[in-house]
Amino acid sequence: MSNKSLRILIADEQHFNRLRIERWFNQLGYYRVAPVQNLDELLTLVEYGCEPFDLLVINAALAGGKLDLMGFCLDNRQLYRVLIYDGQRAQLPPTPACEQQKTQVSHAVLPDLAALQRLMTIIDPGMPFVGTVISVR
């Protein structure tokens, strides 16, 4: 069963992208999702929030060269985990999701449901993995 108390922040300038990602999280059982459309909104929520966010999913283009996105994410105590997508645009090297890393960079233009599900199995170990089951005899 998924941990319904996890706080997720989505940051993307495109309304359609924010909506799509939020719907995928809803399909996975996560409903505490806050979408933001610009850097100022993101900084306000992160800097003045009472509770840390369990996950930030952000389009690398949102920083627009105004912010060292990797440095901000790695050093911020209000963000437990971060997925930066479309990282190729920001010239960030891709990094795979693993338990030890706080920040994952994807070159995908938009994360898909399967990628979010894999990430959430790391963040929320109680989440059931919905996928193909292969039995070996």
Side-chain angles (χ1 to χ4, degrees), residues 25 35 66 73 96 127 129 137:
F25 278 117
K66 300 175 191 171
C73 294
M127 186 190 114
F129 183 76
R137 296 181 187 218

Side-chain angles (χ1 to χ4, degrees), residues 73-126:
C73 294
L74 289 171
D75 294 335
N76 199 308
R77 299 175 90 159
Q78 289 291 92
L79 302 171
Y80 289 149
R81 297 285 251 184
V82 179
L83 169 62
I84 301 171
Y85 60 93
D86 203 7
Q88 189 169 14
R89 180 180 297 188
Q91 300 176 341
L92 299 172
T95 56
C98 69
E99 285 186 42
Q100 294 78 23
Q101 274 187 301
K102 178 179 180 175
T103 304
Q104 174 191 352
V105 176
S106 169
H107 280 189
V109 175
L110 188 69
D112 60 9
L113 178 60
L116 294 176
Q117 186 176 25
R118 283 190 302 274
L119 179 61
M120 293 313 291
T121 58
I122 294 170
I123 296 170
D124 183 9

Side-chain angles (χ1 to χ4, degrees), residues 11 13 16 18 27 37 41 73 78 93 107 133 135:
E13 292 175 332
F16 177 77
R18 292 190 311 270
Q27 287 178 16
Q37 66 182 348
E41 289 178 1
C73 294
Q78 289 291 92
H107 280 189
V133 177
S135 64

